[in-house]
Amino acid sequence: MTRDVAIVAFAQSDHLRRTDELSEVEMLMPVLHEVLRRTGLQTSDIGFTCSGSADYLAGRAFSFTMALDGVGAWPPISESHVEMDGAWALYEAWVKILTGDADTALVYAYGKSSPGELRDVLTRQLDPYYVAPLWPDSIALAALQAQALIDAGATDEPALAGIAARSRAAASDNPHAQLKGSVPPGDYLVQPLRTGDCPPIGDGAAAVILAAGDRARELCDRPAWIRGMDHRIEPHSLGVRDLTDSPSTRLAAERAGAFDRPVDTAELHAPFSSQEVVLRAALKLDDRVRVNPSGGALAANPVMAAGLIRLGEAAARIHRGESDRALAHATSGPCLQQNLVAVLEGES
Amino acid sequence: MTAAATPAPQTLRAPLVVEFPFTRSLGPVQSAFLTGLRERAVLGVKGSDGRVLVPPVEYDPATAEEIRDLVEVGVTGTVTTWAWNPAPRRDQPLATPFAWVLVRLDGADTSLLHVLDAPGPDAVRSGMRVRIRWAEERTGAITDIACFEPYDSEPTAHVTGHSGEFADAVTGIVTPARLDYTYSPGRAQSGYINALADRRTVGERCPSCRKVYVPPRGACPTCGVATDEQVEVGPRGTVTTYCIVNIKAAHTANLDIEVPYVYAHIALDGADLALHARIGGIPYDQVRMGLRVEPVWAEDGRHPDHYRPTGEPDADYDTYKELL
């Protein structure tokens, strides 16, 4: 069965360095209410609910079960969770709707990075035999990739600073962004990456609603139709990969139909300035494509939600009539290990 | 601001330390590699395309076939990319500023992640020659390589077959990890815990279904809306259901609790959700559904140590059947 599925609503929190006064569900609830309000749906109308988050951020097992209080999980609902960025929860919900098991889906994701030391926390997702015992933090691994790009002549430090500056200037129009406007490049965190090349650490949440066919048209004036979506992974060992390229992104984009016709907008999940260089090349994006008009992950990077936000931002531009065909990308793991690409279109 | 001002309710914060010694078993390839490090030998594995993969993997990255063709490569190599770390973090291999490096050992076709001991970023470049500095005490772990150090040499084609057989092979590793958090329970749970310090139990009422949740978590799980109206409940309550525990508590905080004892669900008066707690002050075989109980507060405690009978007549089943 072929069904047309669209993102019909998107909401996100303001992304903040700390949200001590809020539990995860307290942070998430206003976002869930906002996305439901945009469609007029009640939680009881939703056919499938799927979320993305990570226990290591909270330092507690099964932390996502507490957040479920925010969606009204009684009487029992059809629900699932991925221990990944919410973009992969959206993928699961899309498949669920494609199979005909549901007509609508609520997808949400959240991450509070403030309780722990994020650089240390993220080392626990690495290969536990050869890599994790060395505690190479997220910035160190991204810096190895950045140096490889510089050595290959694909970029240099001023170009990277330019990417960061462009992203944060674009975020000036994004009321939810954590960093916006003119942000100095700063000192080296791990050379060659400076503070400005790295994403802010913060807390935040996002949610989208998906719907199929006519249901989508009822819920949204201009649905963002998902024309294709795919995700691919690289070998986990960094030393096996060519860090200057992202064949998994290219393959996912090809399978999602991204190369069939040009896109006008691309929301790329590039937490580090250097990763935008890799993604632009892998996705063959030229200067005619508006990249990260939201400011991207350099302006706000709530871990586990930042990829879902790329899909949401791309969809919202279509909802507003500012884009006709947009590409959204999400990543997970060190140095762009896993990559998801979706192509969204609005009907004229 | 004056000294007489009433402070706003504080959101609580406390250190939360998560420590875990992950114990992992090794397959034949990983066992050979890590045992080799203990013996100052670096082993790789040949992939289907003839490439030598170091560190070795168990399955071919291209074909996913199981691979076992072990070879020994050199202890010298070439930096393929690097990053200078000016501020080492707690558990990283060197305490002084160092470079993260990917090193292609002589004879290998892939690179190993490790660290390079060098005086500064100006002393590091891609293409530089390095060699392994072994840890003095080696146990069969990636940290048996203490670090790399600069070493001026020509690349050698050092690849020989290796059986992977060692006396007393390492078959498992234990990787300790510690993560430090500052835990904050948020607004609703902070209110609950703060009230307990005054020996009061508070819940929150859902504005939609009017149910009172205790402990409150800030949301009504039925309606999916925020709860914010604080409601004091108890102190007395009714046992809705219970079990008899015959296993001695393992946790040090509970070692003095004799078995058997009763653990019960207790619906505090005014609450629409049952809490669970230990029942004391009554023989275990006399505890029953409907028993009326009250909290006995721990001496220094911020929570009830247990609940004991009030002496009231038992509650009627119909008054608590919805809370079972």
Side-chain angles (χ1 to χ4, degrees), chain A residues 20-21 26 29 33 56 60 69 72-74 115 117 120 128-130 134-135 137 140 144 147-148 151 189-191 239, chain B residues 11 13 24 30 56 81-84 86 89 91-92 100 110-111 126 181-184 187-188 218 220-222 224:
Chain A
D20 291 346
E21 71 288 1
E26 288 167 345
M29 250 183 314
H33 296 164
Y56 272 106
R60 295 196 313 286
D69 284 352
W74 179 267
E117 285 288 336
D120 299 331
Y129 302 97
Y130 302 160
L134 304 173
W135 293 81
D137 58 278
L144 287 168
Q147 184 63 44
D151 286 341
L189 284 178
V190 180
Q191 190 176 336
Chain B
T11 304
R13 293 163 61 88
R24 297 176 183 278
Q30 291 174 319
T81 185
W82 62 282
W84 184 255
R89 301 175 74 78
D91 296 303
Q92 292 176 345
W100 290 102
T110 65
S111 299
S126 298
Y181 299 87
T182 302
Y183 180 67
S184 172
R187 180 198 57 79
C220 172
T222 305

Side-chain angles (χ1 to χ4, degrees), chain A residues 219-268:
Chain A
L219 296 171
C220 181
D221 290 340
R222 192 169 194 254
W225 298 103
I226 300 172
R227 297 302 186 204
M229 182 156 42
D230 196 77
H231 62 101
R232 300 282 159 164
I233 185 169
E234 310 276 343
H236 71 258
S237 179
L238 291 175
V240 172
R241 298 192 227 160
D242 173 1
L243 294 178
T244 66
D245 193 11
S246 183
S248 59
T249 299
R250 191 180 305 111
L251 183 57
E254 189 184 312
R255 298 299 173 97
F259 302 133
D260 297 351
R261 282 186 293 122
V263 297
D264 54 47
T265 303
E267 279 284 342
L268 305 181

Side-chain angles (χ1 to χ4, degrees), chain A residues 123-134 236, chain B residues 22-27 29-31 33-34 37 55-58 112-114 140-144 170-175:
Chain A
T123 65
R124 300 301 92 191
Q125 69 181 193
L126 302 169
D127 158 27
Y129 302 97
Y130 302 160
V131 180
L134 304 173
H236 71 258
Chain B
F22 262 127
T23 303
R24 297 176 183 278
S25 50
L26 303 173
V29 171
Q30 291 174 319
S31 171
F33 176 66
L34 293 178
L37 295 184
V57 295
E58 297 161 298
L112 173 81
L113 178 75
H114 220 290
I142 191 67
T143 45
D144 287 355
V170 177
T171 58
I173 56 170
V174 179
T175 50

